[in-house]
Amino acid sequence: MNPEEHIEQMLHTIIENTQSIINDNQKQSFGSLEYFLGHIREYRDEKQYLTEDWQFRTPRWLGEYGNTPEEEELLADIYRLQAYIAVKLKGG
């Protein structure tokens, strides 16, 4: 799998996991995950992750104390993708 295909797969996982959290009425995303989901789909569709200055803009509260295990896993997926892009596409 080439780097772009791998990135697409990772983005797909992030989108699915975000949608799963949004759909769970027991979770409280305060609307910010819906906002994030719209942006991540746009980033994917326009391949913005291939641009030099692109970065994730995650909800501010994501990663703070008190998140659910699903939210923590989503954040871990985002960090893995950021690291992968930094190494494979930006040489760092």
Side-chain angles (χ1 to χ4, degrees):
M1 181 180 304
N2 70 42
E4 191 171 338
E5 289 171 334
H6 191 69
I7 291 168
E8 288 282 337
Q9 179 62 41
M10 294 173 86
L11 281 167
H12 180 75
T13 299
I14 290 169
I15 289 168
E16 282 186 338
N17 290 345
T18 303
Q19 190 65 60
S20 175
I21 293 169
I22 290 169
N23 291 342
D24 186 342
N25 293 334
Q26 302 301 314
K27 310 261 185 318
Q28 294 183 358
S29 66
F30 309 108
S32 56
L33 281 181
E34 289 93 342
Y35 180 81
F36 170 72
L37 183 61
H39 281 280
I40 200 68
R41 284 180 173 150
E42 179 183 327
Y43 296 156
R44 178 201 58 199
D45 294 346
E46 296 180 12
K47 298 188 185 289
Q48 290 182 7
Y49 53 85
L50 296 175
T51 65
E52 199 59 37
D53 60 344
W54 181 77
Q55 64 181 13
F56 271 99
R57 287 176 179 79
T58 59
R60 184 176 46 220
W61 56 267
L62 194 60
E64 293 179 355
Y65 178 77
N67 287 337
T68 67
E70 294 85 0
E71 291 164 342
E72 292 295 329
E73 184 60 32
L74 176 61
L75 187 62
D77 288 343
I78 291 167
Y79 287 158
R80 280 190 285 275
L81 178 55
Q82 287 174 321
Y84 185 83
I85 289 172
V87 170
K88 294 293 184 176
L89 298 183
K90 298 182 179 181

